Amino acid sequence: MRFLLRLPKTHLRKLSSSMSVLMGSKQFLEFCLLPSFAASSPSCTRGAQRQLSSVSRRFRPVLASRPVSKSSPYHQRPNGVSPYTSISRAPNPGNVLNAIEFSVSMFDPEDGAVQSRLANLRLKLADNGIDAQNCPSGQYSGLICPECEGGDSGEKSLSLFIAADCSSATWNCFRGKCGLKGGVRVDGRFATSVVPMEKAERKVTVESLELEPLCDEIEDYFAARMISAETLKRNRVMQKRIGDEIVIAFTYWQRGELVSCKYRYLTKKFFQEKNTRRIFYGLDDIEKSSEIIIVEGEIDKLAMEEAGFRNCVSVPDGAPASVSSKETPSEEKDTKYKFLWNCNDYLKKASRIVIATDGDGAGQALAEEVARRLGKERCWRVKWPKKSEDEHYKDANEVLMSMGPHSLSEAVRSAEPYPIQGLFSFKDFFDEIDAYYHRTHGHEYGVSTGWKTLDNFYSVVPGELTVVTGVPNSGKSEWIDALLCNLNHSVGWKFALCSMENKVRDHGRKLLEKHVKKPFFDADYGRSVPRMSVEELDEGKLWLDDTFTLIRCELDSLPSIGWVLERAKAAVLRHGIRGLVIDPYNELDHQRTQRQTETEYVSQMLTKIKRFAQHHSCHVWFVAHPKQLQQWDGGPPNLYDISGSAHFINKCDNGIVIHRNRDEKAGPLDLVQICVRKVRNKVAGQIGDAYLCYDRATGLFSDSPITPEKPERRSSRRP
């Protein structure tokens, strides 16, 4: 096949137009020669020859059917000695076609062996940071380089080639500042990822760069930007003539030695001297400073000096398009921010670093990249003054030009500590504290339960966790359902129900009875009250659908707490729920690692629930059964009796025990005792007992005339 590469272009064009397979890469054409050797080799089996001829029949109608004369260019030998000495004669088109067909058959992309090699090759490429999942074999693909990430523009500068037989892959980055090269093989014979060695740094001088003092035109340009000639002279700003144009030359000095130079056309087009050391602009100004300022451009550095800050430097290469999603690379691989490592001796002395980059997206991305390399704990961030109601000034020079040096100085001195994830100051929450004080949120004291006797001890506060327990058949679920109905009727809250013990139809019946205040059936339990009508049922169904969202696992397996909270989060965003019921604990999947105790697991689970409640301002009721009580005397259990862990009482915001009287001698059998055993928020309640009467026909609870002797709380707690 290699002889095709030496054919006249006209003949090669005719052949390639007849066969689309020849439109592949040069490497593929060279490789296709190998099967032709096998076809003419004595070791080639007859079965393989039959396969070869059967494959070739598919292509025969494509080429000309008449024989090729000996004067055809297929039989012409090139001048000189042919390097292909293993070929006894030049192959005719039929042999060429057979060779191509054999290679196509051999490297069929649907072939299992090829697919396996391609999959392994892609894994090896992924280990080198190259995502080749969508890159086919036998051709070049353009990707973003894992080393330089395509520079500021994010260009796809990495050229990746996967061999047609998927045995190897090579890559090369064509960005001048990167040049990453490497290759991998499936068989592991070689695996390299080579970053070219940095070229030797050039030694430059003012004379070698042909720099000259600023002319009046350039000085007037800076004067319009409120940069004085004195500041330009101290920072050794010069100019250079390029053809008919004059460009500004920002000279980069280190300990009195010129190490680089950056040029700026008046049209805001930049370029730098190649192969020079990358450092901060104005580096010598921070050599002995414990507090430094970092800006995005050279003119911003000059503007800072006009405002009285000489301890300022500028980055040499501008800002990135966005923050990198990868971890901070090592010094050897951090080519984009090499200037930070080159200036480390200056930076490590600074205890306070003020980052005053541009206010746009790129400037904020630069601030983040610089801060995470220098340590956010010693960084402060400048927030530029407002230009209008919805817009801020962009950078230091714009503030200087529009508001003057005093305002620029004030902006720098008002810099705020750089935000660190998980670290806050109370100032960040002053607005929320003010709203809490003035009760503008609306539920500062919590929401009334709908029962006056219980409101003295317990109120429903958004973002809290209430653990509810009680011996079986005490009415825990019935009481929670009644509480939800009261909250919906009074403040319009909506809820998500994860109630695994109830069938949907039974749970719907209980809620409808409490809403309509009539029994669902004309059965013995409800003979004293007329059954709800069809019209009332239809209205109640609309209320059910509007008020409640069901969380149910449709599979045979039990849902985990993570699974439940994910659905609850979706219900918050989609339906605006304000409450979540998880009933009960033992119906969840509680798989844990062998090294994790049940106590540790329960602690972690309750922490997840509390974080969900706080983040989404959603109250959560979590029902947990008590362990088997030994020698039970008929009284209400304690929160410490909950099966699993003492963390149920330790971690909850509110702990409630529901207890129903079962002894006629002790009082009415419809009497339900609501035992509030823990209240973390003293604004919302206190420890004590309330008594409610349960109506078996409708499932409603009402205040009982039997009340404990407890001090009443102030009546003005709710307006």
Side-chain angles (χ1 to χ4, degrees), residues 509-535:
R509 171 184 61 79
K510 296 175 184 178
L511 292 168
L512 285 171
E513 288 177 342
K514 293 173 175 56
H515 174 67
V516 180
K517 300 180 181 179
K518 291 183 179 181
F520 190 85
F521 289 118
D522 189 10
D524 291 340
Y525 75 89
R527 289 288 173 84
S528 61
V529 180
R531 181 187 185 187
M532 68 179 67
S533 65
V534 175
E535 291 77 12

PDB file of all heavy atoms in Angstrom, residues 509-535:
ATOM      1  N   ARG A 509     -57.459   7.967  53.694  1.00  0.00           N
ATOM      2  CA  ARG A 509     -58.716   7.943  54.466  1.00  0.00           C
ATOM      3  C   ARG A 509     -58.561   8.707  55.777  1.00  0.00           C
ATOM      4  O   ARG A 509     -59.430   9.527  56.131  1.00  0.00           O
ATOM      5  CB  ARG A 509     -59.117   6.495  54.745  1.00  0.00           C
ATOM      6  CG  ARG A 509     -60.284   6.369  55.731  1.00  0.00           C
ATOM      7  CD  ARG A 509     -60.586   4.920  56.046  1.00  0.00           C
ATOM      8  NE  ARG A 509     -59.452   4.239  56.657  1.00  0.00           N
ATOM      9  CZ  ARG A 509     -59.109   4.354  57.939  1.00  0.00           C
ATOM     10  NH1 ARG A 509     -59.795   5.163  58.743  1.00  0.00           N
ATOM     11  NH2 ARG A 509     -58.084   3.681  58.422  1.00  0.00           N
ATOM     12  N   LYS A 510     -57.465   8.473  56.496  1.00  0.00           N
ATOM     13  CA  LYS A 510     -57.260   9.128  57.783  1.00  0.00           C
ATOM     14  C   LYS A 510     -57.169  10.643  57.630  1.00  0.00           C
ATOM     15  O   LYS A 510     -57.740  11.404  58.424  1.00  0.00           O
ATOM     16  CB  LYS A 510     -55.993   8.591  58.437  1.00  0.00           C
ATOM     17  CG  LYS A 510     -56.041   7.123  58.795  1.00  0.00           C
ATOM     18  CD  LYS A 510     -54.691   6.657  59.332  1.00  0.00           C
ATOM     19  CE  LYS A 510     -54.673   5.169  59.605  1.00  0.00           C
ATOM     20  NZ  LYS A 510     -53.346   4.702  60.090  1.00  0.00           N
ATOM     21  N   LEU A 511     -56.441  11.093  56.602  1.00  0.00           N
ATOM     22  CA  LEU A 511     -56.303  12.536  56.388  1.00  0.00           C
ATOM     23  C   LEU A 511     -57.613  13.163  55.962  1.00  0.00           C
ATOM     24  O   LEU A 511     -57.963  14.283  56.393  1.00  0.00           O
ATOM     25  CB  LEU A 511     -55.220  12.792  55.340  1.00  0.00           C
ATOM     26  CG  LEU A 511     -53.779  12.450  55.761  1.00  0.00           C
ATOM     27  CD1 LEU A 511     -52.848  12.473  54.547  1.00  0.00           C
ATOM     28  CD2 LEU A 511     -53.280  13.422  56.829  1.00  0.00           C
ATOM     29  N   LEU A 512     -58.374  12.472  55.117  1.00  0.00           N
ATOM     30  CA  LEU A 512     -59.670  13.000  54.672  1.00  0.00           C
ATOM     31  C   LEU A 512     -60.640  13.136  55.836  1.00  0.00           C
ATOM     32  O   LEU A 512     -61.404  14.113  55.919  1.00  0.00           O
ATOM     33  CB  LEU A 512     -60.254  12.099  53.589  1.00  0.00           C
ATOM     34  CG  LEU A 512     -59.617  12.208  52.202  1.00  0.00           C
ATOM     35  CD1 LEU A 512     -60.128  11.105  51.287  1.00  0.00           C
ATOM     36  CD2 LEU A 512     -59.889  13.574  51.585  1.00  0.00           C
ATOM     37  N   GLU A 513     -60.638  12.151  56.732  1.00  0.00           N
ATOM     38  CA  GLU A 513     -61.538  12.231  57.885  1.00  0.00           C
ATOM     39  C   GLU A 513     -61.215  13.447  58.748  1.00  0.00           C
ATOM     40  O   GLU A 513     -62.136  14.129  59.234  1.00  0.00           O
ATOM     41  CB  GLU A 513     -61.420  10.950  58.710  1.00  0.00           C
ATOM     42  CG  GLU A 513     -62.048   9.734  58.036  1.00  0.00           C
ATOM     43  CD  GLU A 513     -61.865   8.459  58.829  1.00  0.00           C
ATOM     44  OE1 GLU A 513     -60.973   8.426  59.708  1.00  0.00           O
ATOM     45  OE2 GLU A 513     -62.610   7.498  58.572  1.00  0.00           O
ATOM     46  N   LYS A 514     -59.956  13.732  58.922  1.00  0.00           N
ATOM     47  CA  LYS A 514     -59.571  14.888  59.746  1.00  0.00           C
ATOM     48  C   LYS A 514     -59.876  16.202  59.039  1.00  0.00           C
ATOM     49  O   LYS A 514     -60.160  17.210  59.685  1.00  0.00           O
ATOM     50  CB  LYS A 514     -58.079  14.802  60.080  1.00  0.00           C
ATOM     51  CG  LYS A 514     -57.720  13.630  60.988  1.00  0.00           C
ATOM     52  CD  LYS A 514     -56.233  13.481  61.147  1.00  0.00           C
ATOM     53  CE  LYS A 514     -55.890  12.380  62.144  1.00  0.00           C
ATOM     54  NZ  LYS A 514     -56.473  11.069  61.798  1.00  0.00           N
ATOM     55  N   HIS A 515     -59.788  16.204  57.708  1.00  0.00           N
ATOM     56  CA  HIS A 515     -60.067  17.424  56.954  1.00  0.00           C
ATOM     57  C   HIS A 515     -61.564  17.688  56.848  1.00  0.00           C
ATOM     58  O   HIS A 515     -62.029  18.816  57.103  1.00  0.00           O
ATOM     59  CB  HIS A 515     -59.458  17.310  55.561  1.00  0.00           C
ATOM     60  CG  HIS A 515     -59.796  18.440  54.644  1.00  0.00           C
ATOM     61  ND1 HIS A 515     -59.351  19.725  54.841  1.00  0.00           N
ATOM     62  CD2 HIS A 515     -60.572  18.481  53.513  1.00  0.00           C
ATOM     63  CE1 HIS A 515     -59.814  20.510  53.891  1.00  0.00           C
ATOM     64  NE2 HIS A 515     -60.555  19.775  53.069  1.00  0.00           N
ATOM     65  N   VAL A 516     -62.338  16.667  56.494  1.00  0.00           N
ATOM     66  CA  VAL A 516     -63.790  16.829  56.315  1.00  0.00           C
ATOM     67  C   VAL A 516     -64.509  16.797  57.659  1.00  0.00           C
ATOM     68  O   VAL A 516     -65.633  17.282  57.789  1.00  0.00           O
ATOM     69  CB  VAL A 516     -64.319  15.732  55.354  1.00  0.00           C
ATOM     70  CG1 VAL A 516     -65.823  15.861  55.136  1.00  0.00           C
ATOM     71  CG2 VAL A 516     -63.590  15.803  54.020  1.00  0.00           C
ATOM     72  N   LYS A 517     -63.858  16.162  58.661  1.00  0.00           N
ATOM     73  CA  LYS A 517     -64.419  16.020  60.005  1.00  0.00           C
ATOM     74  C   LYS A 517     -65.626  15.099  60.018  1.00  0.00           C
ATOM     75  O   LYS A 517     -66.572  15.266  60.795  1.00  0.00           O
ATOM     76  CB  LYS A 517     -64.788  17.387  60.599  1.00  0.00           C
ATOM     77  CG  LYS A 517     -63.604  18.334  60.732  1.00  0.00           C
ATOM     78  CD  LYS A 517     -64.006  19.678  61.319  1.00  0.00           C
ATOM     79  CE  LYS A 517     -62.782  20.593  61.417  1.00  0.00           C
ATOM     80  NZ  LYS A 517     -63.131  21.929  61.973  1.00  0.00           N
ATOM     81  N   LYS A 518     -65.567  14.092  59.133  1.00  0.00           N
ATOM     82  CA  LYS A 518     -66.599  13.056  59.071  1.00  0.00           C
ATOM     83  C   LYS A 518     -65.923  11.729  58.783  1.00  0.00           C
ATOM     84  O   LYS A 518     -64.859  11.697  58.165  1.00  0.00           O
ATOM     85  CB  LYS A 518     -67.623  13.366  57.975  1.00  0.00           C
ATOM     86  CG  LYS A 518     -68.519  14.564  58.262  1.00  0.00           C
ATOM     87  CD  LYS A 518     -69.540  14.750  57.144  1.00  0.00           C
ATOM     88  CE  LYS A 518     -70.457  15.938  57.433  1.00  0.00           C
ATOM     89  NZ  LYS A 518     -71.467  16.118  56.354  1.00  0.00           N
ATOM     90  N   PRO A 519     -66.538  10.611  59.210  1.00  0.00           N
ATOM     91  CA  PRO A 519     -65.932   9.309  58.924  1.00  0.00           C
ATOM     92  C   PRO A 519     -65.973   8.991  57.432  1.00  0.00           C
ATOM     93  O   PRO A 519     -66.873   9.422  56.708  1.00  0.00           O
ATOM     94  CB  PRO A 519     -66.778   8.332  59.741  1.00  0.00           C
ATOM     95  CG  PRO A 519     -68.079   9.026  59.945  1.00  0.00           C
ATOM     96  CD  PRO A 519     -67.763  10.484  60.027  1.00  0.00           C
ATOM     97  N   PHE A 520     -64.978   8.220  57.009  1.00  0.00           N
ATOM     98  CA  PHE A 520     -64.879   7.825  55.602  1.00  0.00           C
ATOM     99  C   PHE A 520     -65.903   6.747  55.268  1.00  0.00           C
ATOM    100  O   PHE A 520     -66.493   6.733  54.189  1.00  0.00           O
ATOM    101  CB  PHE A 520     -63.457   7.315  55.336  1.00  0.00           C
ATOM    102  CG  PHE A 520     -63.123   7.103  53.887  1.00  0.00           C
ATOM    103  CD1 PHE A 520     -62.680   8.151  53.097  1.00  0.00           C
ATOM    104  CD2 PHE A 520     -63.249   5.853  53.314  1.00  0.00           C
ATOM    105  CE1 PHE A 520     -62.366   7.960  51.758  1.00  0.00           C
ATOM    106  CE2 PHE A 520     -62.941   5.642  51.979  1.00  0.00           C
ATOM    107  CZ  PHE A 520     -62.494   6.703  51.200  1.00  0.00           C
ATOM    108  N   PHE A 521     -66.123   5.814  56.213  1.00  0.00           N
ATOM    109  CA  PHE A 521     -67.064   4.711  56.017  1.00  0.00           C
ATOM    110  C   PHE A 521     -68.244   4.850  56.973  1.00  0.00           C
ATOM    111  O   PHE A 521     -68.148   5.500  58.021  1.00  0.00           O
ATOM    112  CB  PHE A 521     -66.373   3.367  56.268  1.00  0.00           C
ATOM    113  CG  PHE A 521     -65.371   2.979  55.211  1.00  0.00           C
ATOM    114  CD1 PHE A 521     -64.038   2.821  55.537  1.00  0.00           C
ATOM    115  CD2 PHE A 521     -65.773   2.765  53.902  1.00  0.00           C
ATOM    116  CE1 PHE A 521     -63.108   2.458  54.576  1.00  0.00           C
ATOM    117  CE2 PHE A 521     -64.855   2.405  52.934  1.00  0.00           C
ATOM    118  CZ  PHE A 521     -63.520   2.249  53.268  1.00  0.00           C
ATOM    119  N   ASP A 522     -69.309   4.158  56.609  1.00  0.00           N
ATOM    120  CA  ASP A 522     -70.468   4.033  57.500  1.00  0.00           C
ATOM    121  C   ASP A 522     -70.288   2.747  58.299  1.00  0.00           C
ATOM    122  O   ASP A 522     -71.055   1.785  58.180  1.00  0.00           O
ATOM    123  CB  ASP A 522     -71.756   3.998  56.684  1.00  0.00           C
ATOM    124  CG  ASP A 522     -72.992   4.099  57.565  1.00  0.00           C
ATOM    125  OD1 ASP A 522     -72.807   4.391  58.768  1.00  0.00           O
ATOM    126  OD2 ASP A 522     -74.094   3.872  57.069  1.00  0.00           O
ATOM    127  N   ALA A 523     -69.228   2.726  59.112  1.00  0.00           N
ATOM    128  CA  ALA A 523     -68.862   1.532  59.858  1.00  0.00           C
ATOM    129  C   ALA A 523     -69.098   1.761  61.341  1.00  0.00           C
ATOM    130  O   ALA A 523     -69.509   2.839  61.773  1.00  0.00           O
ATOM    131  CB  ALA A 523     -67.400   1.186  59.587  1.00  0.00           C
ATOM    132  N   ASP A 524     -68.790   0.710  62.127  1.00  0.00           N
ATOM    133  CA  ASP A 524     -69.065   0.778  63.561  1.00  0.00           C
ATOM    134  C   ASP A 524     -68.333   1.932  64.230  1.00  0.00           C
ATOM    135  O   ASP A 524     -68.871   2.585  65.120  1.00  0.00           O
ATOM    136  CB  ASP A 524     -68.664  -0.543  64.226  1.00  0.00           C
ATOM    137  CG  ASP A 524     -69.586  -1.679  63.815  1.00  0.00           C
ATOM    138  OD1 ASP A 524     -70.712  -1.391  63.362  1.00  0.00           O
ATOM    139  OD2 ASP A 524     -69.182  -2.846  63.940  1.00  0.00           O
ATOM    140  N   TYR A 525     -67.076   2.190  63.796  1.00  0.00           N
ATOM    141  CA  TYR A 525     -66.306   3.223  64.473  1.00  0.00           C
ATOM    142  C   TYR A 525     -66.874   4.623  64.237  1.00  0.00           C
ATOM    143  O   TYR A 525     -66.551   5.552  64.975  1.00  0.00           O
ATOM    144  CB  TYR A 525     -64.837   3.182  64.019  1.00  0.00           C
ATOM    145  CG  TYR A 525     -64.575   3.751  62.634  1.00  0.00           C
ATOM    146  CD1 TYR A 525     -64.296   5.104  62.449  1.00  0.00           C
ATOM    147  CD2 TYR A 525     -64.626   2.941  61.514  1.00  0.00           C
ATOM    148  CE1 TYR A 525     -64.069   5.622  61.192  1.00  0.00           C
ATOM    149  CE2 TYR A 525     -64.393   3.455  60.248  1.00  0.00           C
ATOM    150  CZ  TYR A 525     -64.110   4.794  60.085  1.00  0.00           C
ATOM    151  OH  TYR A 525     -63.889   5.316  58.834  1.00  0.00           O
ATOM    152  N   GLY A 526     -67.738   4.778  63.198  1.00  0.00           N
ATOM    153  CA  GLY A 526     -68.227   6.113  62.874  1.00  0.00           C
ATOM    154  C   GLY A 526     -69.729   6.232  62.839  1.00  0.00           C
ATOM    155  O   GLY A 526     -70.263   7.171  62.231  1.00  0.00           O
ATOM    156  N   ARG A 527     -70.449   5.296  63.468  1.00  0.00           N
ATOM    157  CA  ARG A 527     -71.912   5.340  63.405  1.00  0.00           C
ATOM    158  C   ARG A 527     -72.507   6.584  64.056  1.00  0.00           C
ATOM    159  O   ARG A 527     -73.605   6.994  63.725  1.00  0.00           O
ATOM    160  CB  ARG A 527     -72.481   4.092  64.095  1.00  0.00           C
ATOM    161  CG  ARG A 527     -72.246   2.803  63.310  1.00  0.00           C
ATOM    162  CD  ARG A 527     -73.122   2.742  62.080  1.00  0.00           C
ATOM    163  NE  ARG A 527     -72.800   1.610  61.226  1.00  0.00           N
ATOM    164  CZ  ARG A 527     -73.275   0.379  61.402  1.00  0.00           C
ATOM    165  NH1 ARG A 527     -74.068   0.127  62.435  1.00  0.00           N
ATOM    166  NH2 ARG A 527     -72.942  -0.583  60.565  1.00  0.00           N
ATOM    167  N   SER A 528     -71.762   7.186  64.984  1.00  0.00           N
ATOM    168  CA  SER A 528     -72.307   8.352  65.688  1.00  0.00           C
ATOM    169  C   SER A 528     -72.299   9.617  64.851  1.00  0.00           C
ATOM    170  O   SER A 528     -72.949  10.603  65.195  1.00  0.00           O
ATOM    171  CB  SER A 528     -71.521   8.594  66.984  1.00  0.00           C
ATOM    172  OG  SER A 528     -70.154   8.848  66.685  1.00  0.00           O
ATOM    173  N   VAL A 529     -71.556   9.606  63.719  1.00  0.00           N
ATOM    174  CA  VAL A 529     -71.436  10.782  62.860  1.00  0.00           C
ATOM    175  C   VAL A 529     -71.772  10.372  61.437  1.00  0.00           C
ATOM    176  O   VAL A 529     -71.325   9.312  60.972  1.00  0.00           O
ATOM    177  CB  VAL A 529     -70.004  11.368  62.917  1.00  0.00           C
ATOM    178  CG1 VAL A 529     -69.896  12.594  62.021  1.00  0.00           C
ATOM    179  CG2 VAL A 529     -69.619  11.708  64.341  1.00  0.00           C
ATOM    180  N   PRO A 530     -72.539  11.183  60.680  1.00  0.00           N
ATOM    181  CA  PRO A 530     -72.858  10.826  59.294  1.00  0.00           C
ATOM    182  C   PRO A 530     -71.594  10.699  58.442  1.00  0.00           C
ATOM    183  O   PRO A 530     -70.631  11.449  58.613  1.00  0.00           O
ATOM    184  CB  PRO A 530     -73.731  11.995  58.822  1.00  0.00           C
ATOM    185  CG  PRO A 530     -74.244  12.623  60.067  1.00  0.00           C
ATOM    186  CD  PRO A 530     -73.189  12.430  61.100  1.00  0.00           C
ATOM    187  N   ARG A 531     -71.628   9.771  57.515  1.00  0.00           N
ATOM    188  CA  ARG A 531     -70.498   9.537  56.613  1.00  0.00           C
ATOM    189  C   ARG A 531     -70.336  10.720  55.645  1.00  0.00           C
ATOM    190  O   ARG A 531     -71.322  11.358  55.248  1.00  0.00           O
ATOM    191  CB  ARG A 531     -70.732   8.249  55.850  1.00  0.00           C
ATOM    192  CG  ARG A 531     -69.635   7.860  54.881  1.00  0.00           C
ATOM    193  CD  ARG A 531     -70.073   6.661  54.057  1.00  0.00           C
ATOM    194  NE  ARG A 531     -68.989   6.196  53.190  1.00  0.00           N
ATOM    195  CZ  ARG A 531     -69.142   5.245  52.258  1.00  0.00           C
ATOM    196  NH1 ARG A 531     -70.332   4.674  52.080  1.00  0.00           N
ATOM    197  NH2 ARG A 531     -68.107   4.879  51.529  1.00  0.00           N
ATOM    198  N   MET A 532     -69.104  11.002  55.223  1.00  0.00           N
ATOM    199  CA  MET A 532     -68.865  12.096  54.271  1.00  0.00           C
ATOM    200  C   MET A 532     -69.539  11.793  52.941  1.00  0.00           C
ATOM    201  O   MET A 532     -69.590  10.630  52.494  1.00  0.00           O
ATOM    202  CB  MET A 532     -67.368  12.331  54.067  1.00  0.00           C
ATOM    203  CG  MET A 532     -66.614  11.234  53.362  1.00  0.00           C
ATOM    204  SD  MET A 532     -64.840  11.578  53.128  1.00  0.00           S
ATOM    205  CE  MET A 532     -64.247  11.556  54.802  1.00  0.00           C
ATOM    206  N   SER A 533     -70.036  12.842  52.286  1.00  0.00           N
ATOM    207  CA  SER A 533     -70.726  12.679  51.011  1.00  0.00           C
ATOM    208  C   SER A 533     -69.722  12.564  49.866  1.00  0.00           C
ATOM    209  O   SER A 533     -68.525  12.812  50.033  1.00  0.00           O
ATOM    210  CB  SER A 533     -71.657  13.868  50.771  1.00  0.00           C
ATOM    211  OG  SER A 533     -70.897  15.065  50.633  1.00  0.00           O
ATOM    212  N   VAL A 534     -70.245  12.209  48.694  1.00  0.00           N
ATOM    213  CA  VAL A 534     -69.389  12.113  47.511  1.00  0.00           C
ATOM    214  C   VAL A 534     -68.812  13.479  47.168  1.00  0.00           C
ATOM    215  O   VAL A 534     -67.641  13.595  46.772  1.00  0.00           O
ATOM    216  CB  VAL A 534     -70.173  11.534  46.317  1.00  0.00           C
ATOM    217  CG1 VAL A 534     -69.322  11.545  45.046  1.00  0.00           C
ATOM    218  CG2 VAL A 534     -70.643  10.131  46.625  1.00  0.00           C
ATOM    219  N   GLU A 535     -69.604  14.513  47.316  1.00  0.00           N
ATOM    220  CA  GLU A 535     -69.110  15.863  47.039  1.00  0.00           C
ATOM    221  C   GLU A 535     -67.986  16.240  47.996  1.00  0.00           C
ATOM    222  O   GLU A 535     -66.976  16.841  47.596  1.00  0.00           O
ATOM    223  CB  GLU A 535     -70.254  16.881  47.152  1.00  0.00           C
ATOM    224  CG  GLU A 535     -71.315  16.778  46.073  1.00  0.00           C
ATOM    225  CD  GLU A 535     -72.269  15.609  46.296  1.00  0.00           C
ATOM    226  OE1 GLU A 535     -72.244  15.031  47.415  1.00  0.00           O
ATOM    227  OE2 GLU A 535     -73.016  15.259  45.370  1.00  0.00           O
TER     228      GLU A 535
END
